[in-house]
Amino acid sequence: MAGTKRLSLFPLAIFRASACPPEAERAMRAAIVFTLLAVVVVEGKKSSEPHKCKAVIRSPTENATGDSLEAPSDLHCYKKTTDPNADFTCKWTPGMSAVNATYILHYCVLNKMEDCHSFDAGLSHSCFLNRDGLHTRMGIGMWVEAHQGYRTYKSPVFSVVLIHSTKYDPPQIEKMSRSSGGLVLKWRKQVGEDKGSMNEIQFRQLGELEWSSIMCNTSDGKHTEEKCTLTLHNLTVYEVRVRRTSKVINWSEWSRTEIVPAEIHKEPQVNMTVGKLLKGVRKLRLSLEVPIARALLGNVQYNLTFHSPPCQEDIPTMTLNATKITKPISGSEVKVSIVAFNKVGSSPPKLLKIPAVDLKDLHPFSFKNLTKNMKWCVEWYKATAPREKSRHFITRTPVDFKDMINSTGGEAEDFKLYYFIIHQLTHRGTMKTRGWSEGYQKEGTPRSSPKKVTVLNVTVNSAVVKWAPIPVPDQQGFLQHYVIYITAGNRTREVQVDASETHYKIQELTAATTYSVQIAGKTAAGLGPKSDAEPILTSNIPPTKGWNVIWITIAIAIFTLIFTGLGSFAAKRLKRKFFPAVPSPMSTEALTLTNLKIKEEILPQDEEVLMGDLQVVLQKSTGLPSEDVVSMELGETETCEGDTETLSESCRTPDVEFFLSSDYRRQMLNLPACEPGQEALELSENICSYGETACEVATPTYKNSLVFEMKGESNTSEESIPMRL
């Protein structure tokens, strides 16, 4: 180190002697500091790394100081494999005299102290000893002397038989895997080693202080895998380390302590959304999550494998550190396998199947759009087969549909419909779906007729015919149209209907006529068979009003009657309330008829006239004046109910007998005034006539014992009503 200090002063002196700007001065200082640090690191590394010691002829120093803090300690020599020809490594721990100290390694054969050997180690704290010239099968005593100036420090003597002194390097755990509670650790054998080893594995839960340990032996063999298995609790994070030794125990150093996370025993959880097909691709968005807490799993990554059959032959796998991904996919079916893994293992795969875009959502594609500079994959399959069984071919040459059929390698059959989906393959390895087409290698005539032909809505001059389309396997070509045959007697009329239609209204039919209808399909190759004849019998009854019109008419009539009756009734009520009837001036006490009892002997017997409810008895009086006497008997009294102008209603009074005096030829019947809403008195022929306020009064007159005349008097006119008895 003293030499190093001397070297470092030279550039400083040069720096001070030169005149530099401040920026250059700072840069120079930084370079010097970096150089000094590099020198120190290199020198320290040289002192710690073993180098090949050279044998020297030098006797041990007799006045060396031993077993002191300045002296080296912990000397041990070993080979790293069980190979008997392997070189040896010797290491020791320097004491407090390590600064600027040089080291010499001595060994002497036990019981032969005169047989001694010395090796110069320089400033290093270890060195390699060449197998040649060493006593490996005899017991030897070894020690190290540290020389610092005029002082010498001696380590304790280390006794060993070198042939049995084997110490492996610390193992490097290369792989850990957890499954069903078991942890498998794997590492490599020592370089050049073909023997098995004894291994100690220590483990503890993360955060604990105490270690648990197990022993594990591995088998001999150069290519035999070094591994051990231990049982751990699920969903628990551990620390683990390993050390190993040969059959003659000389333990290696411990390996680096490794964190053992929990195993991912379930498939990852995936949220998926698929966008619409735009410009040939769909956006697939995946959000990934592990089924248990991430703190137990450590660093979790995902392997995603995308496969888009049939065009994609190679299956690329991508490793993802993030939990979200957006990837463009084609319109074809895409299969995705997702595996979550950490440093101890992987989850079961999560399999996703994204269905292909329906053909109706694809644009028709023209093969004229194929260009030479692009690579195209054509997916094709029979229309009656599932799309999963499709096949493909790759092309770079623009072709027409005929060439596309020929590219199927002669596998396409005549009269069979095929679908073609065209994908563009980009230089980035992605696939874009451009469209679809369909076609036949060779067209034929339909081999069946339309099914389920029925006739509906038959009228006097029209009918509707319906049918089910011809199945695709039976079409054997592109349907151009349907032909409908309408037959009446010896005459047949043909109508062509578009192939997309499944019904047709036949018009211009004749009433009360029987027709038959048949349907056939037509392709470019010709007409197919006709369906069975379906009869049509047109009606001979002219169109009548439907039930809706009848019910509307009935409803209007009922409404009119109700409205008229209710209106009339309301008008009468208002009239009686605000305009009461005016009494007839003829209804006075002077004209009141007196109830009389007519003696039976006065009147002739068995002469009576029945007029409805009015019974009139006519008898000739022998004791009275020449004037006839008329006796009238009324059965009962009725109140006029109804319109005052209506003569069909009757007015009745209680049973009464009265005498019409001859002095009152025009004596009027004194009947009660008709109330509004009551019926008028009806005497066979309506004799009670009404004005606006009172009933008209009729005067009965007897003539010739045969005719009874009743004259009606009113304010305006008289009316004589003859009544034959």
Side-chain angles (χ1 to χ4, degrees), residues 76-104:
H76 54 281
C77 291
Y78 55 87
K79 56 182 178 179
K80 292 187 176 182
T81 71
T82 57
D83 183 4
N85 297 318
D87 295 333
F88 290 86
T89 300
C90 296
K91 291 184 177 182
W92 57 88
T93 301
M96 296 182 64
S97 62
V99 178
N100 297 328
T102 59
Y103 299 93
I104 296 179

Side-chain angles (χ1 to χ4, degrees), residues 45-53 75-76 78 89-94 103 105 120-129 144:
K45 188 174 182 180
K46 287 182 178 180
S47 63
S48 60
E49 289 184 354
H51 68 283
K52 197 167 186 177
C53 297
L75 171 65
H76 54 281
Y78 55 87
T89 300
C90 296
K91 291 184 177 182
W92 57 88
T93 301
Y103 299 93
L105 176 65
D120 186 5
L123 298 174
S124 178
H125 303 151
S126 62
C127 66
F128 289 115
L129 297 179
V144 177

Side-chain angles (χ1 to χ4, degrees), residues 378-393:
V378 180
E379 177 185 357
W380 65 280
Y381 61 98
K382 192 181 298 185
T384 55
R387 186 170 176 179
E388 289 77 8
K389 295 185 178 181
S390 63
R391 286 165 286 182
H392 75 287
F393 57 87

Side-chain angles (χ1 to χ4, degrees), residues 168-176 183-190 196-201 214-218 223-230 240-245 255:
Y168 294 131
D169 286 337
Q172 300 296 322
I173 300 176
E174 295 183 343
K175 187 175 182 180
M176 298 185 295
L183 172 65
V184 179
L185 302 176
K186 295 181 181 180
W187 57 88
R188 293 183 181 180
K189 288 183 180 295
Q190 187 79 35
S197 62
M198 182 184 298
N199 304 275
E200 181 182 9
I201 302 174
I214 64 168
M215 301 299 296
C216 171
N217 294 329
T218 60
H223 301 290
T224 303
E225 193 175 40
E226 297 268 288
K227 66 177 181 179
C228 290
T229 302
L230 62 154
V240 66
R241 63 184 183 180
V242 181
R243 66 175 182 173
R244 60 186 174 184
T245 184
S255 68

Side-chain angles (χ1 to χ4, degrees), residues 17 78 93 119 191 223 296 300 331 351 371 380 492 543 609 702 717:
Y78 55 87
T93 301
F119 301 91
V191 177
H223 301 290
L296 302 176
V300 178
L351 301 178
T371 59
W380 65 280
T492 300
V609 176
Y702 175 76
S717 63

Side-chain angles (χ1 to χ4, degrees), residues 455-475:
V455 177
L456 306 172
N457 303 333
V458 180
T459 65
V460 175
N461 55 8
S462 67
V464 175
V465 60
K466 293 183 63 176
W467 63 91
I470 301 174
V472 172
D474 293 344
Q475 292 179 9

